Structures are given as structure tokens and as C-alpha cells.
């Protein structure tokens, strides 16, 4: 392309910018690579996600679909270069409304919004939805985006920070929010070291095959710009990684056999322009195709070939919880319901594909990439590369969504292999198809259950079994298999219970963590059967759930006595909404024959943290000689808000204003281990560590000042000033000894939840804290087309203590959006739905109005009473929607998602 490059001119930020480039090159590449306008994000290169939206002469365009020559001579606006007054108002509105979570889609959404606000300074909700319809967001659920755009030209509310000791409970805008809205946040693909080589993976076109590599050196010699071809033979360490070390089984590069479509077999490392231009179809590899399985029924069938020789029947692991006499209790039950339910693979569909860079810093391999688990990345990458742990440093870039999939290693060891082979910095960016092939998915589940109740409507017994398709490798399959039996009863008193599970290997994509670890699938089974059981018992569906809801002092099926159970409070908060929604649906149905409305309800519970395993977090809080307060916070914030929530807890525990806190990390060289950002553990576990660190540092300061308490504390100019009433103490920080971390005053505290292992019957204390919730879905079903529109979701969630109510609401809305996708549209089919055109996720037009109700029933184990929330909110959404569909038209959809043809078939079956 170099020989036909031409000069193309753009009018940007008040000046003319000339670029020598091929006229057909993507405008997105020119803006990012040639003009360093990194706010233009690349999510798909196909115009499906809209993350690259820019304004060309005032109109929004997908820069990835726009040839550079098409913008010649025109005015181009990005977040960095847009008209500053309106841009600042819009940025502030996004921050004040919590409209940016991970932030990867935010620049594109803001540019589309600017087009609208210039034409309509005070737009309606319908206008916002119409204008922003081409940009996808996977985190927020869109509701706060709509509110922010509508309020951008209004007078902003008072956003002053709360006083010392009063940060918790306040909707403080994200402390890390400004870079999300001004385009300066650095995601995985935004940093490329000088002189970096590009890595591309050669991936299997087959689900299951043996292979032999040919003369790769000779092939490389035929292609200019290639510096190295890396294969499994170059791996110096153990070529098997995983999130659970005893079960680690996934090779960084396959050695002689591939087990899923897209598994990498080699890496091409070379000059970026040359490597990008390669057609890898002539890469020297020969394949011997083997039979493959894609479903749990196929993988677990008798006589099927094993994916791993040491795992008979393709069974990775089994789970079990049992108590009482479930079979006898079912026999004696007055009412029994039963059913079989199936869920599909669900793709995480974060807008940022996996990306990162690596280089040598002295003798330390440094990797900057998107991740949810920096310390695990460090440990497993070092193991694969054969390096000591302290010779690998992980610097998490901003993560453009995660939801569980960015817990697993993807490109980290591949980056390391490239650097170690060539001695040069390297970078790697997955394409959308590559990301969807290589990343983990939500486990497909096939579940059977029977539930019985007595004549009074009280549940007496439940028997459940679930087969979960864990794909080619272990990943989080063991966690799903153990967590599901613990949770499958739902948050209800169930005295006789048996729940079993099995994680089965197939040649499908590896199934891993996805917001709930299998609990959403199990809740669909239990909550849909609860609707049937309520009907058999002659009880209102909400009243039936309240009658059976767990409460303080109740014993779970796994033998734990509970405290701080807020489910009944959630159901009571929903009661008036339930009555109103029922009246509204009945009124609509009386007036319409071709469309019917229905209401559904479902509850949830979720244990915060790892199941029956240690999972500590450590926080460091230090004061420098200059008077700066540093919070070493190693929990990755993937949009959920841990950077802000943890700082709020630490500041209040110490007794200082939130504005004083300066965040450090996460970075394996700078921050202690705060564990993985998963299992709704960070607010609870890292929050407890932050609370303890704040209290410890406060006590240290009190000892220095000889005060019994403090009413005010200020820092600055090398001094710490403390007041207790009218008494004042001044500490000259320069007089104090500096520790090895550079602090004159420091506290480092660790918290590990008090849990116990489960015995052979699944009895024990798997979690220290549980969160609870319930949701109402209001839907409208087209009886001719079978389509479902969700009109309104009302969600009540017990958060213990709302550390930051606005962020909690954002989690509720985002979780509901993903639950809606699970219920109605999302079905990943290997080899077919490998882009955001064929794989559908909710758009701004699909998202209903959401009413969030925060219930605060403090848990004494949580920090200041707080419980986790992030995963809980997705669990009841799909069953509530499915129950509402059945209420509207009689269709009992047992295979998800509830696509129109399945709804119509279920309607016919109901007739």
C-alpha cells in the first residue's frame, strides 16, 4: 500500500492535519495510529458496536467503516478535539449521573450525543434512544446514559464532596471517572511501546484435530518483516495454565492436538505492517480431523472419545449438597412440580477485545493488558514462561468490560513468548472474531428439578441436577459445579434437599466465569418451577415466595445458620409494584387481542467470594513525608466502581475527606494482592481490608497525638493536623522515619472471610456474607410474531449498606440488561455467531425503564454492613421475564433464549 499512498487532509481542532496514507485505509486507524486520537475505540471493525463513532462535518459516522479519503477536507471531531463547552457539559453530566462504567463505549456514545444536543438542546428520551441506537454498551444498561444526555444542558446539581467521615452512603462520582469521559483512559490497545513488534496467532480451523507443523522457519523466510515464529517448543516452563492450579490444563500454544475452534498453535511476530498484511492460510500446518462434541449430552455420552485422558466420561468435576430425606419428602408432598430447562452458551461481548503490550524493564518482563486478576496473571504467566514470579510484572490497563472472562489468561503468556523470543517489545490485539473464539463463555446448562410443598404452601423438598458444558478446558468449571448445588434452592427454606452437578468437557469454547458462576442458570429452573408450585398451592406468586423466604436464624440446605437476610424486606418493597403492575397488565389485555401483557417475579441470593476457599485481600494505606495519603488498591476496577467504593470505606474508617485519597494501582509491583475481581467479592472482602487499614492508621495517629479520638484531620505541606474538639495537634511529617515503601505513617491489613470447606454431603460454611434480591418484570408479547418486549423492571436488592447508591443503581441496571439478553436473545453458536452482527446483545432500544430499590439490612461481617451486589442483580432477571411471558400468553419456555419461534412453539404447546 505504501506505493499508492496519497496526502489526505482533515480539519481537526481548528487546524489542518495532513496524512500520507492509502486512501482506502480505515479512518479509525488513521485517527488512532497517525494522529494519536486514542479516544476512537475499535470494538469490531465492522460497524456493529459504534465504539469508533466520530463526527464528520457534524454528523456521526463509524470511523472503522469510513475510508480515509471519504473524510478528505472535512471537519472531524473526537472527544479530545470536540467543541469544548458542550463537551465539558456532557462530560460532567456523564460523571454526575454515573453514565460511564468501564468507559470503552463512552467516547463513541458522547460523540453521537453531541450531534443530537446541537440540534435538540433538551432532547426527549425517544430522541436520545434514536440517536444513540448505533452504539452498544455492555455495562450500564443505558438508563444512566439516557439521563445524562437529557440533562447535559441543564444546570448541574451540587457535586461537592462530603465532609470527613461521611463519604459512605453518598453517590460520589467515580474518582477515576474523568479519564473515562475525556478520552484519556488507556485501554489494552491504546499503548504500544516504541519499536514494538506485532503478534498474530495462527488458530485452529477445527474443533478437534491432531496437527503437525511444517518448516516454519522456511515459511517465515518467504515473508519479509517476520522476526520469529513461536511454537510450543519455545515454551520453557509448564505449558498448562488455569484459574485453579491443581486443575490447570490449558496450553498457551497447543502442542500436537487442538480441542476447540480457534485454539492457537503458533505465533507470528514481526513488523506491524507486514504481519497485519499476512494471509495465514499458507502457514505450514497439516491437520488430522477427529470427531468432536459441542453439547454436554454429546460430551458425556457413553463411549465418546476423551478430551483429557485422565478425566473419565469427560467429567471435570461433580458437585453435591444434600440434607434431610428429599425423596421421601417429595413422596409425602401435597403438591409437586417438575421440569427440564436448557440454557445456551452466552458470550460476554465486552466492547473491548483482548489487547495488551509487553516489554523488558531490565530483567523483568512487564505486561500491560486488560485483566480482572493481575496477581493470578503474574503467577500463571511466570509458570508458563519458566520465570520466577518476581521477574514478571503485570500492569492492568483499563478494562473495557470483563464480567468474568478477563479473569482467565488469554494473551498474557503469548506476549511474554514474543518478547522472550525476539528481545523486542511486542503488542497483540485480538480481532472481534478472535476474541469470541478464544474467550470463555457462560456455561450451557441442562437442568432437571422436582420441588414439593405441603398443603399450606410451604416448600418441603427439592431435588436438582445440572449438567454444565465446561468446554475444552477447566477454567472456572469447578467453581460452577460447586456453587450451583449450594444456590439451586434459591433463597428459600428447604428442609429436605439434594442438588448435584457435573461439569462435562466438550469441544466447544471453554466455559468460564460470567456474572453468577452458574447461579443464573439454576435460578431459571427453580424460579420457573416456583411459579407453577404457587399456582398448585393456590397462592399469589409473590406471597408464595415471601412465605418460604429465608430469614435470620434459618438453616440453609448446606447447614449454615444465616444472619442479616433481607429477602422478605425486598419482597415487601416490591408488593405495591406487583399490585400496580397486575392492574396495568389486566387493563391492557382487556383492550388488546393481538398483544398481551404479563408480569413475573423472581428472587435471588448469592454468596460473596470464593466458594468454601480462602480468598484474602490486602490493602496498604500510607502517608508520605510531603503529606500525601496513598491508597494501594490492587482490585481491578472493570467498571463496577471499586476504585471509588474502596476509597470511600478507607477514608471514613480513617476519618479524613475523600478528596485527600490518592489511588495507587493495581500493579503487581506497587500494590498488595486484592484478589480477583469476581464473585462480587471486592466491596465485601477488599472493603473489609480497607476498613481495617483505615482503623489501624487512625489508631497510629491517635497514639502519636496522645488523643483519645479525632473530630477532624487534615493533610498537606508536609504536616498532619488533628483536632479533638478544641484540642489541636500538629505533626511535622519530615521528622518521622520513612519506611521501605516511602511512608512515614502506614497501615497494611488483610481480610479473609471466615469460611469452611464443604464435606462429602456439601455441608459447611461456603460464604461469610450473602446478598439477596427480587425483581418484577413487566412484558408485552406479540401473539402473532412471538416477540417479547420488556416494558419495566422493578428491582429490590439488599445491599447491606449502600456505600455509593448511584454506583449500586448502575450495577442493577447493567445486570438487568445482561439478564434480559440471557432471557430473550443471546445464544452463542460456535463457528456461527462470532461477531456483534450475528451475536445479539441488548441495545439502547431494548432496555426497559428500571426502578431500583436499595434495601439496607447491614451484615455484621461486611464493611460498615455492606454486602456484594454485582452478580446478584443478573440472577433474577431472566426467570422474572420468562415467568412474565408465561403470565402473558401461557408459553412455558424451557430452552433459552426465548426467541420468537420458541415462544410461539410454547404457546401452541400450552394450548
Amino acid at each position: 500500500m505504501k506505493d499508492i499512498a496519497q496526502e489526505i487532509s482533515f480539519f481537526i481542532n481548528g487546524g489542518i492535519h495532513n496524512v500520507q496514507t492509502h486512501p482506502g485505509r480505515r479512518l479509525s486507524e488513521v485517527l488512532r495510529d497517525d494522529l494519536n486520537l486514542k479516544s476512537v475505540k475499535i470494538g469490531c471493525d465492522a460497524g456493529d458496536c459504534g465504539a469508533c463513532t466520530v463526527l464528520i462535518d457534524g454528523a456521526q459516522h463509524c470511523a472503522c467503516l469510513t475510508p480515509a479519503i471519504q473524510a478528505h477536507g472535512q471537519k472531524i471531531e473526537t472527544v479530545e478535539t470536540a467543541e469544548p463547552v458542550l463537551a465539558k457539559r456532557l462530560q460532567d453530566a456523564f460523571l454526575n449521573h454515573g453514565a460511564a462504567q468501564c468507559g470503552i463505549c463512552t467516547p463513541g456514545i458522547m460523540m453521537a450525543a453531541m450531534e443530537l444536543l446541537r440540534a435538540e438542546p433538551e432532547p426527549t428520551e425517544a430522541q436520545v434512544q434514536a440517536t444513540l441506537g448505533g452504539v452498544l454498551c455492555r455495562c450500564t444498561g443505558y438508563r444512566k446514559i439516557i439521563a445524562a444526555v437529557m440533562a447535559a444542558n441543564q444546570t448541574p446539581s451540587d457535586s461537592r464532596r462530603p465532609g470527613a467521615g461521611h463519604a459512605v452512603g453518598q453517590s460520589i462520582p467515580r474518582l477515576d471517572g474523568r479519564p473515562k469521559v475525556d478520552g484519556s483512559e488507556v485501554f489494552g490497545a491504546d499503548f504500544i511501546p516504541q519499536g514494538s513488534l506485532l503478534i498474530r496467532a495462527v488458530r485452529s480451523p477445527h474443533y478437534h484435530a491432531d496437527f503437525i507443523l511444517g518448516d516454519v522457519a522456511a515459511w517465515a523466510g518467504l515473508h519479509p518483516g517476520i522476526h520469529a515464529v513461536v511454537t510450543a517448543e519455545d515454551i520453557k516452563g509448564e505449558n498448562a495454565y488455569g484459574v485453579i492450579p491443581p486443575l490447570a490444563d490449558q496450553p498457551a500454544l497447543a502442542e500436537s492436538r487442538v480441542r476447540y475452534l480457534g485454539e492457537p498453535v503458533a505465533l507470528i511476530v514481526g513488523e506491524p505492517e507486514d504481519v497485519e498484511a499476512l494471509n495465514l492460510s499458507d502457514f505450514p500446518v497439516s491437520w488430522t480431523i477427529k470427531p468432536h462434541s459441542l453439547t454436554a449430552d454429546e460430551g458425556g455420552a457413553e463411549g465418546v472419545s476423551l478430551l483429557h485422558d485422565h478425566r473419565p466420561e469427560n467429567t471435570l468435576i461433580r458437585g453435591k449438597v444434600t440434607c434431610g430425606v428429599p425423596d421421601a419428602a417429595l413422596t409425602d408432598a401435597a403438591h409437586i412440580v417438575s421440569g427440564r430447562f436448557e440454557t445456551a452458551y452466552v458470550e460476554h461481548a465486552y466492547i473491548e477485545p483482548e489487547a495488551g503490550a509487553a516489554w523488558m524493564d531490565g530483567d523483568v518482563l512487564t505486561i500491560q493488558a486488560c485483566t480482572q486478576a493481575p496477581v493470578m496473571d503474574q503467577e500463571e504467566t511466570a509458570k508458563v514462561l519458566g520465570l520466577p514470579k518476581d521477574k514478571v510484572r503485570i500492569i492492568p490497563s483499563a478494562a473495557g468490560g470483563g464480567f468474568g472472562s478477563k479473569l482467565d489468561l488469554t494473551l498474557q503468556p503469548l506476549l511474554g513468548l514474543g518478547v522472550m523470543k525476539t528481545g523486542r517489545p511486542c503488542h497483540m490485539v485480538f480481532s472481534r472474531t478472535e476474541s469470541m473464539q478464544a474467550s470463555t463463555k457462560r456455561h450451557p446448562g441442562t437442568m432437571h428439578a422436582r420441588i414439593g410443598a405441603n398443603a399450606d404452601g410451604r416448600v418441603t423438598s427439592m431435588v436438582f441436577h445440572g449438567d454444565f458444558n465446561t468446554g475444552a478446558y477447566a477454567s472456572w468449571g469447578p467453581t460452577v459445579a460447586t456453587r450451583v448445588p449450594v444456590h439451586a434452592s434459591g433463597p428459600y427454606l428447604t428442609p429436605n434437599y439434594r442438588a448435584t452437578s457435573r461439569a462435562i468437557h466438550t469441544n466447544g469454547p471453554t466455559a468460564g466465569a460470567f456474572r453468577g458462576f452458574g447461579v443464573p442458570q439454576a435460578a431459571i429452573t427453580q424460579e420457573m418451577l416456583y411459579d407453577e408450585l404457587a399456582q398448585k398451592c393456590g397462592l399469589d406468586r409473590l406471597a408464595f415466595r415471601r412465605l418460604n423466604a429465608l430469614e435470620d436464624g434459618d438453616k440453609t440446605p448446606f447447614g449454615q445458620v444465616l444472619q442479616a437476610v433481607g429477602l422478605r424486606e425486598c419482597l415487601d418493597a416490591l408488593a405495591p409494584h406487583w399490585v400496580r403492575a397486575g392492574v396495568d397488565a389486566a387493563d391492557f389485555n382487556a383492550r388488546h387481542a393481538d398483544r398481551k401483557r404479563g408480569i413475573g417475579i423472581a428472587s435471588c441470593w448469592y454468596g460473596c467470594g470464593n466458594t468454601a476457599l480462602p480468598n484474602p485481600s490486602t490493602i496498604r494505606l500510607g502517608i508520605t513525608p510531603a503529606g500525601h495519603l496513598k491508597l494501594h488498591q490492587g482490585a481491578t476496577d472493570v467498571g463496577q466502581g471499586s476504585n471509588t467504593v474502596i476509597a470511600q470505606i478507607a477514608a471514613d474508617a480513617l476519618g479524613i475527606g475523600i478528596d485527600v485519597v490518592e489511588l495507587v494501582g493495581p500493579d503487581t509491583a506497587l500494590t498488595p494482592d486484592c484478589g480477583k475481581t469476581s464473585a462480587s467479592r471486592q466491596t465485601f472482602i477488599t472493603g473489609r481490608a480497607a476498613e481495617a487499614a483505615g482503623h489501624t492508621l487512625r489508631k497510629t495517629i491517635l497514639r502519636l497525638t496522645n488523643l483519645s479520638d479525632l473530630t477532624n484531620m487534615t493533610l498537606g505541606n508536609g504536616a498532619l493536623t488533628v483536632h479533638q474538639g478544641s484540642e489541636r495537634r500538629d505533626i511535622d511529617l519530615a521528622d518521622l522515619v520513612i519506611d521501605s515503601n516511602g511512608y512515614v505513617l502506614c497501615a497494611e491489613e488483610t481480610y479473609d472471610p471466615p469460611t469452611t470447606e464443604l464435606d462429602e454431603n456439601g455441608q459447611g460454611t461456603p460464604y461469610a456474607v450473602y446478598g439477596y434480591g427480587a425483581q418484577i418484570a413487566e412484558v408485552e408479547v406479540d401473539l402473532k410474531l412471538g416477540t417479547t418486549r420488556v416494558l419495566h423492571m422493578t428491582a429490590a436488592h439488599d445491599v447491606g449498606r449502600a456505600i455509593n447508591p448511584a454506583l449500586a443503581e448502575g450495577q442493577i441496571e447493567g445486570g438487568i440488561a445482561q439478564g434480559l439478553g440471557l432471557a430473550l436473545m443471546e445464544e452463542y453458536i460456535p463457528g456461527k455467531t462470532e461477531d456483534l452482527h450475528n451475536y445479539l446483545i441488548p441495545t439502547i432500544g431494548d432496555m426497559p425503564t428500571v426502578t431500583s430499590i436499595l434495601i439496607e439490612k447491614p451484615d455484621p461481617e461486611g464493611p460498615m454492613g455492606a454486602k456484594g451486589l454485582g452478580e446478584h442483580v443478573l440472577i433474577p432477571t431472566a426467570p422474572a421475564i420468562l415467568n412474565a411471558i408465561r403470565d402473558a400468553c401461557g408459553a412455558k419456555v424451557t430452552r433459552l433464549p426465548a426467541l420468537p419461534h420458541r415462544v410461539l412453539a410454547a404457546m401452541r404447546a400450552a394450548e
Side-chain angles (χ1 to χ4, degrees):
M1 288 188 178
K2 294 177 182 177
D3 59 338
I4 54 172
Q6 66 184 69
E7 185 171 274
I8 300 176
S9 299
F10 310 111
F11 186 75
I12 301 174
N13 203 21
I16 299 293
H17 293 259
N18 300 315
V19 176
Q20 286 285 336
T21 190
H22 185 277
R25 188 171 169 218
R26 297 178 192 271
L27 178 61
S28 55
E29 295 176 0
V30 174
L31 295 175
R32 284 180 57 83
D33 300 340
D34 297 9
L35 299 175
N36 200 36
L37 296 174
K38 299 295 188 182
S39 74
V40 182
K41 304 304 180 187
I42 308 300
C44 66
D45 267 341
D48 295 322
C49 73
C52 64
T53 297
V54 299
L55 299 184
I56 302 178
D57 281 353
Q60 61 172 302
H61 291 263
C62 280
C64 75
L65 294 184
T66 304
I69 191 63
Q70 190 171 307
H72 176 62
Q74 295 182 299
K75 180 181 179 180
I76 298 176
E77 295 174 86
T78 67
V79 166
E80 305 100 320
T81 64
E83 183 271 309
V85 175
L86 178 56
K88 179 64 164 54
R89 286 202 298 266
L90 190 57
Q91 291 170 16
D92 290 346
F94 266 61
L95 290 178
N96 292 334
H97 285 80
Q101 288 192 17
C102 81
I104 191 72
C105 68
T106 302
I109 287 174
M110 292 177 67
M111 297 316 298
M114 288 189 72
E115 177 192 43
L116 172 63
L117 291 170
R118 286 170 177 166
E120 297 287 347
E122 296 186 1
T124 64
E125 180 172 327
Q127 289 172 322
V128 174
Q129 288 182 325
T131 303
L132 271 58
V135 188
L136 295 176
C137 173
R138 191 58 160 165
C139 295
T140 66
Y142 301 102
R143 299 309 307 178
K144 295 197 181 303
I145 291 172
I146 294 170
V149 175
M150 293 176 68
N153 283 318
Q154 299 173 4
T155 303
S157 58
D158 185 2
S159 59
R160 288 178 295 180
R161 302 293 198 198
H166 299 286
V168 169
Q170 302 300 311
S171 293
I172 297 169
R174 293 173 184 271
L175 300 183
D176 58 352
R178 183 59 65 178
K180 297 178 185 294
V181 299
D182 67 12
S184 63
E185 183 139 56
V186 179
F187 293 89
D190 292 340
F191 174 70
I192 299 175
Q194 187 173 4
S196 177
L197 301 176
L198 177 65
I199 300 176
R200 280 182 65 186
V202 179
R203 296 184 179 274
S204 167
H206 307 294
Y207 293 101
H208 197 195
D210 291 334
F211 69 93
I212 298 174
L213 297 177
D215 190 343
V216 297
W219 177 86
L222 298 175
H223 296 83
I226 295 180
H227 287 241
V229 176
V230 182
T231 70
E233 292 183 355
D234 295 297
I235 294 175
K236 306 302 183 185
E238 184 179 346
N239 191 18
Y241 65 81
V243 296
I244 300 173
L247 297 173
D249 59 0
Q250 187 160 357
L253 293 172
E255 296 179 358
S256 60
R257 177 174 295 176
V258 292
R259 295 178 173 88
Y260 70 91
L261 181 69
E263 184 162 7
V265 300
L267 305 176
I268 313 301
V269 189
E271 299 300 329
E273 191 171 82
D274 296 309
V275 173
E276 283 179 356
L278 284 175
N279 181 347
L280 297 179
S281 62
D282 65 345
F283 184 78
V285 55
S286 58
W287 304 95
T288 302
I289 300 174
K290 298 170 65 68
H292 70 267
S293 59
L294 292 178
T295 68
D297 284 346
E298 293 170 348
E302 186 175 348
V304 72
S305 61
L306 299 182
L307 272 78
H308 303 275
D309 292 340
H310 61 294
R311 292 177 183 158
E313 300 177 319
N314 278 328
T315 297
L316 169 64
I317 198 169
R318 295 179 185 269
K320 178 183 179 182
V321 172
T322 184
C323 69
V325 287
D327 297 312
L330 278 174
T331 300
D332 294 339
H335 307 287
I336 299 175
V337 294
S338 63
R340 180 182 187 274
F341 300 84
E342 295 180 63
T343 63
Y345 274 121
V346 180
E347 160 68 23
H348 293 78
Y350 29 71
I351 305 304
E352 177 206 28
E354 291 77 358
W359 62 95
M360 295 302 299
D361 183 0
D363 63 349
V364 176
L365 173 66
T366 302
I367 300 173
Q368 181 169 310
C370 50
T371 180
Q372 293 177 241
V375 172
M376 187 188 73
D377 287 1
Q378 179 191 36
E379 293 169 345
E380 291 298 292
T381 299
K383 181 183 76 172
V384 170
L385 300 179
L387 295 174
K389 178 182 171 182
D390 62 358
K391 297 303 180 184
V392 175
R393 178 185 182 185
I394 302 293
I395 305 173
S397 59
F403 320 116
S405 188
K406 288 177 182 173
L407 288 165
D408 292 70
L409 287 186
T410 49
L411 45 63
Q412 292 88 345
L414 308 185
L415 286 165
L417 287 168
V419 172
M420 295 181 71
K421 180 79 170 183
T422 64
R424 293 269 299 272
C426 293
H427 64 283
M428 190 174 192
V429 181
F430 284 9
S431 69
R432 173 55 59 182
T433 295
E434 193 173 17
S435 172
M436 294 179 80
Q437 285 185 344
S439 64
T440 61
K441 308 287 176 276
R442 183 181 294 284
H443 283 74
T446 302
M447 296 155 289
H448 309 255
R450 300 179 71 208
I451 309 176
N454 64 21
D456 296 327
R458 292 189 179 275
V459 171
T460 58
S461 183
M462 179 176 180
V463 174
F464 170 96
H465 178 75
D467 284 335
F468 294 92
N469 180 353
T470 205
Y473 296 106
S475 183
W476 292 93
T479 303
V480 169
T482 54
R483 187 178 279 266
V484 165
V486 169
H487 287 85
S489 66
Y492 306 103
L493 188 63
T494 311
N496 302 284
Y497 179 77
R498 183 176 65 252
T500 55
S501 63
R502 179 186 175 198
I504 300 171
H505 282 299
T506 71
N507 296 112
T510 299
F514 190 168
R515 209 168 189 170
F517 287 100
V519 179
Q521 297 94 302
I524 289 165
T525 299
Q526 171 262 312
E527 288 289 339
M528 290 190 72
L529 290 177
Y530 258 48
D531 260 27
E532 294 182 29
L533 195 53
Q535 184 179 18
K536 283 197 171 187
C537 293
L539 292 173
D540 171 81
R541 290 176 285 162
L542 186 151
F544 176 75
R545 287 168 170 83
R546 193 186 187 285
L547 175 67
N548 288 286
L550 289 166
E551 54 185 341
D552 291 3
D554 280 345
K555 183 182 287 189
T556 66
F558 43 90
Q560 184 174 355
V561 177
L562 296 174
Q563 59 184 359
V565 183
L567 179 58
R568 290 193 175 185
E569 289 82 348
C570 291
L571 291 168
D572 289 345
L574 290 183
H577 300 272
W578 180 249
V579 173
R580 187 270 311 155
V583 171
D584 288 351
D587 178 66
F588 180 90
N589 292 339
R591 294 181 287 107
H592 296 83
D594 59 338
R595 291 172 292 146
K596 294 297 179 182
R597 291 186 176 178
I599 61 173
I601 188 169
S603 303
C604 71
W605 68 332
Y606 194 77
C608 302
N610 295 351
T611 307
L613 292 170
N615 60 138
S617 284
T618 301
I619 283 287
R620 182 185 303 142
L621 198 58
I623 297 175
T624 70
H628 296 280
L629 177 65
K630 305 277 190 176
L631 172 62
H632 290 253
Q633 201 286 94
T636 52
D637 191 326
V638 294
Q640 83 280 19
S642 60
N643 280 337
T644 303
V645 168
I646 303 304
Q648 288 178 264
I649 294 170
D652 276 16
L654 177 58
I656 202 163
I658 187 73
D659 283 337
V660 178
V661 179
E662 299 179 25
L663 291 169
V664 178
D667 181 331
T668 58
L670 300 176
T671 50
D673 186 8
C674 281
K676 305 170 184 67
T677 294
S678 67
S680 298
R681 61 178 300 279
Q682 293 296 6
T683 294
F684 163 40
I685 298 174
T686 301
R688 269 296 299 265
E691 183 182 33
H695 285 157
T696 298
L697 187 55
R698 179 187 178 98
K699 291 175 183 177
T700 300
I701 292 168
L702 288 174
R703 283 195 298 271
L704 279 175
T705 58
N706 201 29
L707 296 174
S708 61
D709 200 359
L710 60 86
T711 53
N712 189 35
M713 184 192 310
T714 58
L715 270 170
N717 299 320
L720 171 65
T721 301
V722 178
H723 291 85
Q724 182 179 355
S726 60
E727 293 189 68
R728 169 175 170 161
R729 302 284 191 275
D730 293 299
I731 301 173
D732 188 344
L733 298 172
D735 293 338
L736 302 180
V737 177
I738 300 173
D739 69 13
S740 60
N741 292 309
Y743 298 121
V744 293
L745 295 169
C746 185
E748 185 168 307
E749 295 289 343
T750 298
Y751 174 75
D752 192 5
T755 61
T756 65
E757 293 183 3
L758 301 180
D759 66 17
E760 67 277 7
N761 291 316
Q763 300 297 296
T765 304
Y767 314 100
V769 167
Y770 298 81
Y772 304 87
Q775 296 178 8
I776 296 170
E778 301 171 56
V779 309
E780 182 176 304
V781 179
D782 187 306
L783 301 184
K784 293 183 178 179
L785 300 178
T787 54
T788 300
R789 184 163 65 101
V790 182
L791 307 171
H792 190 187
M793 295 293 301
T794 307
H797 284 271
D798 170 25
V799 298
R801 176 83 182 277
I803 304 296
N804 189 309
L807 294 182
E809 290 176 3
Q811 286 296 290
I812 290 173
E813 292 165 4
I816 285 174
Q818 291 185 349
L820 185 152
L822 168 65
L824 298 181
M825 64 186 71
E826 297 192 42
E827 184 172 18
Y828 180 83
I829 303 172
K832 294 183 179 180
T833 57
E834 296 175 341
D835 54 52
L836 293 175
H837 181 76
N838 292 295
Y839 185 86
L840 303 181
I841 66 172
T843 69
I844 196 169
D846 296 311
M847 191 63 186
T849 301
V850 176
T851 300
S852 298
I853 304 170
L854 299 181
I855 303 297
E856 295 184 283
K857 189 166 185 178
D859 193 304
E861 192 64 34
M864 302 176 183
K867 306 170 183 177
L869 176 66
E871 284 165 285
H872 309 65
V873 293
L874 183 148
I875 296 167
T877 305
I881 291 171
L882 295 167
N883 283 335
I885 291 173
R886 182 161 49 181
D887 184 56
C889 64
K892 178 183 176 181
V893 180
T894 59
R895 181 182 175 188
L896 271 63
L899 300 173
H901 71 280
R902 292 175 183 159
V903 173
L904 291 173
M907 286 171 56
R908 290 192 295 268
E911 292 171 357

